[in-house]
Amino acid sequence: MANPQQPMYGGGIIINPELNDGLKGWSSFGNAKLRHTESQGNKFLVAHGRIQPHDSMSQKVYLQSHKLYTFSAWIQVSSGSDVPVAAIFKTASGFVRAGEIIAESNCWSMLKGGLTVEASGAAELYFESKNTSVEIWVDSISLQPFTEKQWKSHQDQSIAKYRKSKVRIQAVDAQGNPLSNATISIQQKAPRFPFGCAMTKLILNNPAHQKWFTSRFRVTTFGDEMKWYSTETTQGREDYSVADAMLKFAQQNNIAVRGHNVFWDDSQYQLSWVKSLSKPQLFKATYKRLNSVMHRYKGKVIAWDVVNENLHWDFFERKMGANASEIFYNWAIKADGQTPLFMNDYNTIEDSRDRSANPAKYLKKLRQIKSFPGNKGGRFGIGLESHFDTTPNIPYIRASLDTLGAARVPIWITELDVASHLNQPLYLEQVLRELHSHPQIQGIVVWAGRGAQGCYRMCLTDANFNNLPTGDVVDKLLHEWGYRSSASFTADANGFFEASLSHGDYDMKISHSSATDSSLVHKLNVASSTRSLQLSV
């Protein structure tokens, strides 16, 4: 923006957040020199004479271990259009990266992040950029603490606003007369929000696995069975039999399938015959692969992970040219342009220290793909794997999703799990609550498909498909969020009742002492707008 917006929460606990009081509260960090500047009526702070990446401005704060902190600042640099700038907190227990933005000259960009700390104590906020030739300009800084109770309250409010709707129903007889004190029974048959779990080929011949899976989930992703190394182990000999069988099982049980994946940019997952191809041969082989898998399952999957992990890896870029990903999406638009085409990568919300895939880098890559000739108008999506190796930074997750939401494309959580060395049930619940409450999230897939060797990192059941504590967390939240729930209500004297229901499809029965037949089932669809329905027995 030409000028920064006002600081969020009035700056929170930051002193002089709008820099209207000169250098009050601020000091030099490292070798930087500070200059208080005004331009077009806006006052801001400039760090110049920088030698080291951390040379910048700083402010001392006191952080509490039981609080969740949202952070934001408006950043500009003196020159350039692709300058990463990060916000860092120096604490007694180490350095905490609150977030990063790709800054530009001649305009202000909002850095939005968040943090928690392991122990309460004094800390120091500063900014960092490896490009020491630029000045860092900062304005409208905010650091706002929240209690866990406040955070949970906001999650509940968000779920009520974005995942539920208020429904008002009146029971009347054939003549339109109200049925006072009628009993109205409602059962959800299909949820609107897609919540699912990965599956492997093990499910095909295991009734216990099938029963456990189909009673819970409405969407899935195949772990390996649709990937290139599974369908063409020998060049020219394609075998989709396993993926076909899994797709048939999913269709028979009304389970939607995400197409995963067309290509994986990590060299360690390339077949030896793929690695041996020359550049022209690889172009031909990748074109054949993409059209083979996408034409085969066109109209049968709800999304495509076209290129997997191209923020971290670059096998195809090194072999075919820097715009290999852009070319793949161009081909994908022509092969199945009606299905959303996703990037899919990790650590965008999991780890603020990973600079390869932070929200700013993700959006930059997505813009490159969308702006490639022929890709305009394509249906794109953001896939966030969400493999948590460290304690989840819940405020950072929320801020990252807010930032990614600016792309205005569907955002899915595609491979959610929590590492075994962490408290899996506790952190799984914390993450799921945060993700489900965020309005930008349009679907969640847990990466807990059980194969012959167990699960990737996190299982929901034991080998006999009895719930583990992680599975109990999933069941608890599904119940709490109204998945396949049932309830009975009593209408008032005028036949009315009101309730807040999770979005989805419901079967409803109305019984009354004057009714001769209470077996009639009414179909009720609760969508993202309030509906007022009048139904007759």
Side-chain angles (χ1 to χ4, degrees):
M1 304 188 71
N3 290 294
Q5 294 181 348
Q6 296 295 309
M8 297 179 68
Y9 309 108
I13 63 174
I14 292 293
I15 298 171
N16 190 19
E18 295 183 71
L19 286 309
N20 289 332
D21 294 327
L23 297 179
K24 180 181 178 181
W26 296 93
S27 60
S28 175
F29 194 84
N31 297 309
K33 297 178 177 63
L34 300 187
R35 182 175 72 247
H36 187 253
T37 302
E38 182 174 347
S39 175
Q40 298 180 342
N42 178 55
K43 298 176 181 179
F44 56 94
L45 193 57
V46 175
H48 61 101
R50 301 174 57 246
I51 301 172
Q52 300 294 329
H54 61 261
D55 292 343
S56 65
M57 60 285 291
S58 72
Q59 183 168 138
K60 291 180 170 61
V61 295
Y62 187 88
L63 302 179
Q64 297 173 284
S65 60
H66 58 284
K67 296 288 182 67
L68 299 93
Y69 290 87
T70 63
F71 175 82
S72 62
W74 286 82
I75 309 293
Q76 187 172 164
V77 289
S78 56
S79 61
S81 60
D82 188 9
V83 183
V85 178
I88 313 288
F89 284 81
K90 181 182 178 182
T91 73
S93 56
F95 295 86
V96 180
R97 197 179 194 86
E100 182 175 289
I101 190 66
I102 296 177
E104 304 178 31
S105 59
N106 300 315
C107 72
W108 292 91
S109 299
M110 186 184 190
L111 188 162
K112 196 171 190 181
L115 72 154
T116 58
V117 291
E118 297 178 358
S120 300
E124 190 168 11
L125 161 68
Y126 67 95
F127 298 88
E128 181 179 279
S129 176
K130 289 185 176 181
N131 187 341
T132 56
S133 66
V134 302
E135 298 175 350
I136 298 176
W137 302 2
V138 175
D139 199 0
S140 295
I141 309 96
S142 174
L143 181 65
Q144 176 66 30
F146 292 92
T147 65
E148 293 178 359
K149 183 178 180 181
Q150 289 172 326
W151 201 272
K152 174 64 164 54
S153 175
H154 184 271
Q155 289 174 338
D156 293 341
Q157 292 175 33
S158 184
I159 289 173
K161 181 177 180 179
Y162 297 107
R163 309 298 184 202
K164 295 182 177 182
S165 289
K166 292 181 180 179
V167 177
R168 187 168 186 256
I169 293 174
Q170 184 183 28
V172 298
D173 62 18
Q175 286 72 45
N177 301 309
L179 295 174
S180 61
N181 302 317
T183 299
I184 302 172
S185 300
I186 293 180
Q187 182 177 17
Q188 190 188 76
K189 306 302 291 184
R192 178 62 57 89
F193 183 84
F195 187 97
C197 182
M199 69 164 63
T200 73
K201 61 184 178 183
L202 184 68
I203 200 170
L204 294 175
N205 299 304
N206 192 315
H209 191 172
Q210 294 174 0
K211 181 179 180 181
W212 176 84
F213 195 101
T214 58
S215 65
R216 290 164 173 81
F217 305 121
R218 296 269 65 83
V219 64
T220 191
T221 302
F222 301 166
D224 283 317
E225 291 80 1
M226 204 178 282
K227 292 172 181 172
W228 197 4
Y229 58 63
S230 296
T231 62
E232 194 178 0
T233 55
T234 302
Q235 186 175 14
R237 296 182 181 177
E238 294 181 330
D239 183 0
Y240 289 99
S241 58
V242 176
D244 287 348
M246 293 173 67
L247 180 66
K248 181 179 180 181
F249 168 80
Q251 291 173 330
Q252 290 173 339
N253 290 278
N254 196 29
I255 298 171
V257 176
R258 298 188 73 257
H260 178 78
N261 52 53
V262 181
F263 298 113
W264 197 346
D265 229 345
D266 191 343
S267 61
Q268 69 173 314
Y269 296 108
Q270 308 304 325
L271 292 161
S272 58
W273 71 262
V274 173
K275 291 182 177 180
S276 69
L277 298 177
S278 65
K279 182 177 179 179
Q281 291 172 332
L282 188 56
F283 262 96
K284 184 177 180 180
T286 52
Y287 183 79
K288 178 177 179 290
R289 154 64 182 174
L290 181 143
N291 283 282
S292 174
V293 68
M294 294 189 72
H295 285 149
R296 187 178 191 88
Y297 298 120
K298 183 176 182 178
K300 300 176 181 179
V301 297
I302 61 171
W304 286 107
D305 292 334
V306 179
V307 185
N308 205 52
E309 299 177 357
N310 59 349
L311 294 171
H312 285 94
W313 314 110
D314 60 354
F315 171 79
F316 293 103
E317 282 75 10
R318 285 187 286 107
K319 299 279 284 188
M320 300 171 60
N323 59 0
S325 288
E326 289 89 324
I327 292 172
F328 291 155
Y329 283 88
N330 183 266
W331 294 348
I333 290 171
K334 297 171 183 175
D336 188 6
Q338 296 304 307
T339 303
L341 309 174
F342 280 71
M343 285 175 55
N344 193 50
D345 222 307
Y346 61 92
N347 276 356
T348 304
I349 64 172
E350 300 99 301
D351 194 337
S352 62
R353 300 168 301 178
D354 190 339
R355 304 182 67 184
S356 300
N358 62 40
K361 290 289 182 66
Y362 200 118
L363 292 179
K364 179 183 177 183
K365 185 65 174 179
L366 182 61
R367 285 194 294 268
Q368 289 175 354
I369 292 171
K370 293 174 71 175
S371 62
F372 186 78
N375 290 357
K376 184 179 180 180
R379 299 184 63 189
F380 294 95
I382 291 174
L384 305 173
E385 292 182 11
S386 308
H387 295 295
F388 286 89
D389 285 317
T390 59
T391 302
N393 182 343
I394 301 299
Y396 181 77
I397 293 173
R398 181 176 295 185
S400 298
L401 295 175
D402 289 345
T403 300
L404 293 168
R408 300 186 182 276
V409 299
I411 303 177
W412 274 63
I413 305 302
T414 57
E415 304 179 17
L416 173 62
D417 62 20
V418 176
S420 58
H421 67 269
L422 301 174
N423 186 333
Q424 286 182 326
L426 173 64
Y427 293 148
L428 178 63
E429 180 171 347
Q430 289 180 355
V431 170
L432 282 173
R433 286 189 182 279
E434 182 61 36
L435 296 174
H436 185 256
S437 69
H438 200 285
Q440 299 293 343
I441 298 300
Q442 297 191 13
I444 297 174
V445 177
V446 179
W447 204 249
R450 178 172 279 279
Q453 305 302 319
C455 308
Y456 171 58
R457 292 196 317 184
M458 184 185 78
C459 285
L460 300 180
T461 72
D462 61 21
N464 296 315
F465 296 95
N466 299 307
N467 266 11
L468 295 171
T470 47
D472 289 339
V473 166
V474 169
D475 283 355
K476 179 179 77 170
L477 293 180
L478 289 178
H479 176 75
E480 182 180 320
W481 296 336
Y483 279 45
R484 299 195 176 185
S485 60
S486 60
S488 293
F489 306 90
T490 301
D492 63 18
N494 294 315
F496 283 106
F497 97 94
E498 295 183 4
S500 180
L501 300 177
S502 297
H503 298 157
D505 297 324
Y506 291 80
D507 281 353
M508 180 171 60
K509 292 183 179 181
I510 301 176
S511 58
H512 190 264
S513 57
S514 65
T516 57
D517 182 6
S518 298
S519 63
L520 181 63
V521 176
H522 302 274
K523 300 295 183 181
L524 175 65
N525 173 264
V526 181
S528 57
S529 60
T530 303
R531 296 188 175 201
S532 178
L533 303 177
Q534 187 179 62
L535 302 174
S536 300
V537 176

